[in-house]
Amino acid sequence: NTLRHFDGTTWTTLTIPEHDPSLFESWVEHIQKSTRDEGNNQLALELTMLMEASNQAANEKRTIFLS
């Protein structure tokens, strides 16, 4: 599959990659196989830390630095 893109000057043909499993499909597969997606777990942890710092910064009206 391809897609044509015009940037205002020239047309470019882009190749559309094959379908990757959705995050939901990947989650179900990990449950079925009793495996873990450690990379995703790390991203979830970092997002949680960011949200906690964001809420703290809003409540305290100050900048919170993450290390």
Side-chain angles (χ1 to χ4, degrees):
N1 294 332
T2 59
L3 173 72
R4 302 233 340 135
H5 170 72
F6 184 68
D7 67 5
T9 307
T10 58
W11 283 95
T12 305
T13 301
L14 305 171
T15 302
I16 300 172
E18 292 297 319
H19 169 71
D20 287 335
S22 70
L23 292 176
F24 179 76
E25 292 168 328
S26 179
W27 176 70
V28 170
E29 183 178 339
H30 281 292
I31 291 171
Q32 291 171 335
K33 293 181 178 180
S34 296
T35 58
R36 292 180 154 207
D37 182 353
E38 295 301 331
N40 194 46
N41 290 344
Q42 183 62 36
L43 290 173
L45 177 61
E46 291 172 8
L47 178 58
T48 301
M49 292 170 56
L50 178 62
M51 294 307 300
E52 288 292 323
S54 166
N55 288 328
Q56 183 181 358
N59 289 335
E60 298 177 9
K61 297 179 178 29
R62 68 182 187 96
T63 301
I64 304 295
F65 294 96
L66 298 176
S67 57

